[in-house]
């Protein structure tokens, strides 16, 4: 059996942990003295995808495409406008305060900026231990013991629990963020570009740590990144976003070997090749990402697509399964 077939079979046998259906997040644009709503910024405009238990799902796209907004709506840090966020079969959008508090324990986030995301006035012990206090899981000596265990798990010296974030390097601070996210034994961690602010030499260490933790604790990740290279080694499947929509979803090896959407092809062509003898044609996209306040008609990618046809300007393509587990939203398919 080919490796890709093994991966497909594994995915077919997996249980869905998170299912996002028809998710939308619109921001009203208000004008004038009466603050009249004159339009909607469609940050997310009808997104569907699932994440299996203990799977890493990579979500890729240019800045402003809506991928971070998806992460925040899943965590209910911001409220979605429409759609469902089903976590272990429960729609997080309809849960009451107490139900949401219980479920949020199972979903945590690691932020892009390990400097800005940690309160500089709290010690590392307080930062890692705080969620356990808030959720009444461990306080006092039990809290300190668990904090030190978590520090060891993420590769930090447990003796440093009384130190402050500024006394640590960027990579170590991201490990603190990982330990904090781990403290409530989550089933899903939203990783919002967790290595993009780190030195290249440190990036692989953090990725390896995340992979080890997944093997050890069976955690699923929603791994958000702006480039394809960042998701290649860590993701089982990849979703590509453009202007608030997912345009292609496939197992990672499919995306890298036979991606089909013109936008995905452009992202792929931007991945640096280590071998200077090997040549690959770079697909340069024309123009900027259009304003989500006034997205193009039909296929949103059409003003920048080299394959554009008349139908693309008129009709929005649906996300269609073109081979098992491989979905594409393009009139060419
Ligand atoms: Fe390009 Fe048309 Fe496909 Fe959109 S639907 S990606 S414009 S070919």
């Amino acid at each position: 059996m080919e490796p890709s077939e093994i991966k497909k079979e594994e995915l077919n046998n997996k249980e869905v942990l998170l299912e996002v259906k028809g998710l939308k997040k619109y921001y009203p644009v208000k004008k004038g003295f009466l603050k009249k709503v004159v339009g909607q910024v469609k940050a997310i405009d009808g997104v569907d995808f699932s994440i299996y238990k203990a799977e890493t799902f990579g979500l890729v796209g240019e800045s402003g495409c809506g991928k971070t907004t998806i992460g925040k709506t899943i965590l209910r840090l911001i409220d979605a406008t429409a759609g469902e966020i089903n976590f272990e079969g429960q729609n997080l959008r309809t849960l009451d305060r107490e139900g949401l508090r219980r479920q949020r324990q199972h979903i945590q986030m690691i932020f892009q900026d390990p400097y800005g995301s940690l309160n500089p006035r709290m010690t590392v012990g307080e930062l890692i231990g705080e969620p356990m206090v808030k959720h009444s899981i461990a306080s006092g000596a039990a809290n300190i013991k668990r904090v030190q265990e978590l520090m060891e798990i993420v590769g930090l010296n447990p003796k440093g629990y009384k130190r402050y974030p500024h006394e640590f390097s960027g990579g170590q601070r991201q490990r603190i963020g990982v330990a904090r996210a781990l403290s409530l034994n989550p089933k899903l961690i939203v990783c919002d570009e967790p290595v993009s602010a780190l030195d290249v030499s440190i990036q692989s260490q953090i990725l390896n740590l995340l992979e080890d933790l997944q093997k050890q604790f069976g955690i699923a990740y929603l791994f958000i990144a702006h480039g394809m290279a960042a998701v290649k080694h860590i993701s089982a499947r990849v979703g590509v976003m453009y202007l608030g929509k997912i345009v292609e979803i496939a197992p990672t090896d499919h995306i890298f070997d036979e991606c089909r959407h013109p936008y995905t092809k452009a992202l792929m062509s931007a991945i640096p090749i280590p071998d200077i003898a090997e040549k690959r044609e770079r697909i340069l996209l024309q123009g900027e990402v259009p304003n989500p306040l006034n997205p193009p008609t039909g296929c949103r990618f059409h003003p920048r697509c080299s394959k554009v046809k008349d139908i693309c300007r008129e009709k929005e393509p649906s996300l269609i399964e073109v081979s098992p587990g491989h979905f594409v939203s393009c009139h060419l398919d």
Side-chain angles (χ1 to χ4, degrees), residues 22-43:
L23 192 68
K24 294 182 181 179
K25 176 63 190 173
Y26 295 174
Y27 292 96
V29 178
K30 296 175 185 174
K31 259 194 181 165
F33 181 68
L34 295 173
K35 300 262 181 245
K36 201 173 156 209
V37 176
V38 292
Q40 303 276 351
V41 173
K42 297 177 177 176

Side-chain angles (χ1 to χ4, degrees), residues 172-229:
Q172 287 172 327
R173 285 186 219 200
Q174 197 53 296
R175 287 175 193 269
I176 297 167
V178 174
R180 183 178 158 95
L182 273 187
S183 64
L184 298 177
N185 298 318
K187 295 174 183 174
L188 172 69
I189 299 182
V190 175
C191 306
D192 187 8
E193 305 207 27
V195 296
S196 57
L198 302 175
D199 289 347
V200 176
S201 57
I202 308 295
Q203 289 182 359
S204 57
Q205 293 176 16
I206 298 295
L207 293 177
N208 289 341
L209 171 67
L210 292 174
E211 281 184 319
D212 289 347
L213 295 174
Q214 184 170 62
K215 282 185 203 132
Q216 226 176 320
F217 303 111
I219 307 164
Y221 297 125
L222 171 60
F223 193 94
I224 297 169
H226 62 263
M228 298 297 285

